[in-house]
Amino acid sequence: FYEIPLSLLDREMLLQSRVASTANGIGFGGEQTDFSVIRWQRIDDRILVRRMNFENVAEEALPISRAVATSNFEPIIASFEIEALSPDSSALVVEVTHLFTDDVPLLGLQKSRRESYSVRRVDTDRTFVLWAKSFPTNVEVRRVLTYEATDPPSDSPTNTISLEMNHSMVLLPEEPMQPRLWDERVGFFSVQQTDYGLDNQRAETRRYITRWRLEPSDTAAFLRGELVDPIKPIVYYIDPATPEKWRPYLKQGVEDWQVAFEAAGFKNAIIAKDPPSPEEDPEFSPEDARYSVIRYFASPIQNAYGPHIHDPRSGEILESDIGWYHNVMNLVRNWY
């Protein structure tokens, strides 16, 4: 059951799905399958989960924003009956079990993999929630998802694909970060929007860079040119699956970037940390959307990669996970 404060209805939330454990041949534990922005909407006695789109925009105060809205009707991902109200009537309660036990494509295997493995259906008898945990700004759900498939990539006699998946629902900032325009001369990832609210002769396509929200803890000192700590530094955790002997060097590789941030006026802007032990933080999970993690994959691939999750309204990077394949060691050795 989810208890949803009335004040959070229609608020933008990030829905991130990630594979926690997988069968051989279906990617690696820790890889993302989807991230979307959703909202909970009340219509009469029902609560809907709707997927939001920010590719086409216009200032809400402008009449044309109505045309943008009617041309971008949000798909309904799930629907729930209201089961109860909280004692003070400030929140409503819905049972969300079938969001995690039924075949909801947005939360499962990607379409390409379903087609490649000839997936027939989700077996609801072998699909179940392991646990759910709530935190101040996010809710985490872990489940086992089982498909019937004609051509599974491994254990083919079973005609079965079972995955352990983690789903994070994160409240986005009520006030989006001020975006920064993309410039083709500088190599940033970017988000793109078509803005119908500008006073031009055509709809204007705008691109904003994706970036971390680094804000000085002491604005006056920052403006004087002094090095200051950011209010919220960038923190990367080392995956608990990483061999111990490599951890100091991965951490050093992260913190070597502090020199670049110091040139921009910040000290201690980017930090690497060892994963907390179960005794130190029993709730810590590399799949939790609150943590950026350098994930260690047991794979012969000689590479690494660095996807990130960002707020599509502004380009603010919210979380990043670096995929570090085991055999990148061989690549680095050959370079040396």
Side-chain angles (χ1 to χ4, degrees):
F1 290 88
Y2 278 10
E3 181 180 276
I4 307 169
L6 299 180
S7 61
L8 294 187
L9 291 175
D10 294 308
R11 278 284 303 274
E12 293 93 344
M13 298 186 182
L14 186 73
L15 177 58
Q16 180 191 35
S17 297
R18 197 185 293 278
V19 174
S21 299
T22 181
N24 185 39
I26 312 180
F28 305 96
E31 289 188 326
Q32 176 184 289
T33 59
D34 180 79
F35 86 93
S36 301
V37 176
I38 60 99
R39 65 186 176 112
W40 299 83
Q41 180 187 49
R42 181 175 185 174
I43 295 183
D44 299 325
D45 60 348
R46 303 197 68 80
I47 295 297
L48 309 178
V49 178
R50 310 193 72 155
R51 187 176 189 271
M52 306 179 73
N53 188 308
F54 297 94
E55 293 177 4
N56 299 303
V57 298
E59 178 64 40
E60 288 186 11
L62 299 174
I64 198 171
S65 65
R66 299 177 63 181
V68 171
T70 55
S71 300
N72 293 272
F73 193 68
E74 299 168 355
I76 299 170
I77 306 306
S79 175
F80 308 99
E81 293 184 3
I82 297 175
E83 303 288 345
L85 294 177
S86 62
D88 62 358
S89 298
S90 65
L92 48 84
V93 178
V94 294
E95 186 193 346
V96 299
T97 307
H98 71 77
L99 183 64
F100 302 106
T101 56
D102 290 356
D103 190 358
V104 180
L106 193 68
L107 274 65
L109 271 179
Q110 304 95 321
K111 182 180 179 182
S112 60
R113 282 185 162 151
R114 287 172 179 248
E115 293 173 349
S116 177
Y117 308 145
S118 300
V119 169
R120 295 192 295 271
R121 71 182 187 95
V122 168
D123 186 339
T124 56
D125 290 334
R126 292 180 288 167
T127 298
F128 50 91
V129 174
L130 291 171
W131 50 255
K133 299 175 183 177
S134 58
F135 302 97
T137 60
N138 62 306
V139 174
E140 304 292 320
V141 175
R142 185 70 64 93
R143 65 164 172 162
V144 170
L145 173 62
T146 300
Y147 292 100
E148 290 182 0
T150 303
D151 299 307
S154 58
D155 299 309
S156 56
T158 66
N159 282 359
T160 295
I161 294 172
S162 288
L163 310 166
E164 189 171 311
M165 297 197 66
N166 196 90
H167 304 281
S168 302
M169 194 168 292
V170 186
L171 183 66
L172 290 177
E174 189 167 13
E175 185 67 33
M177 180 185 71
Q178 180 178 337
R180 179 168 181 170
L181 286 169
W182 173 84
D183 188 309
E184 64 182 6
R185 296 171 297 178
V186 186
F188 281 99
F189 292 109
S190 63
V191 295
Q192 182 169 301
Q193 296 178 344
T194 301
D195 195 333
Y196 289 87
L198 302 176
D199 190 18
N200 296 342
Q201 299 297 327
R202 62 181 181 183
E204 190 75 25
T205 298
R206 288 195 164 185
R207 292 176 68 176
Y208 301 110
I209 67 171
T210 58
R211 59 181 181 140
W212 297 93
R213 185 187 290 213
L214 284 182
E215 298 170 321
S217 56
D218 185 337
T219 303
F222 184 79
L223 294 176
R224 290 195 300 268
E226 300 174 20
L227 289 179
V228 299
D229 288 295
I231 294 174
K232 183 180 180 182
I234 303 165
V235 178
Y236 277 98
Y237 287 91
I238 304 301
D239 188 345
T242 306
E244 292 277 356
K245 65 179 179 179
W246 301 128
R247 294 184 186 186
Y249 307 104
L250 289 171
K251 290 167 64 179
Q252 180 184 335
V254 171
E255 296 188 348
D256 277 351
W257 282 92
Q258 289 184 359
V259 176
F261 286 101
E262 286 171 2
F266 292 100
K267 62 179 179 180
N268 303 316
I270 185 165
I271 300 167
K273 293 184 177 182
D274 287 312
S277 66
E279 293 74 27
E280 292 170 327
D281 185 357
E283 303 288 354
F284 179 82
S285 167
E287 286 78 38
D288 189 327
R290 293 176 297 168
Y291 305 118
S292 295
V293 181
I294 300 178
R295 301 300 301 256
Y296 198 95
F297 297 149
S299 166
I301 294 173
Q302 300 184 73
N303 208 345
Y305 74 117
H308 64 256
I309 303 299
H310 59 267
D311 185 339
R313 304 169 302 173
S314 65
E316 178 186 355
I317 297 175
L318 303 167
E319 181 259 3
S320 165
D321 282 287
I322 309 301
W324 187 269
Y325 299 104
H326 182 76
N327 274 19
V328 77
M329 291 188 289
N330 191 57
L331 177 68
V332 173
R333 190 274 315 268
N334 291 343
W335 282 349
Y336 180 79

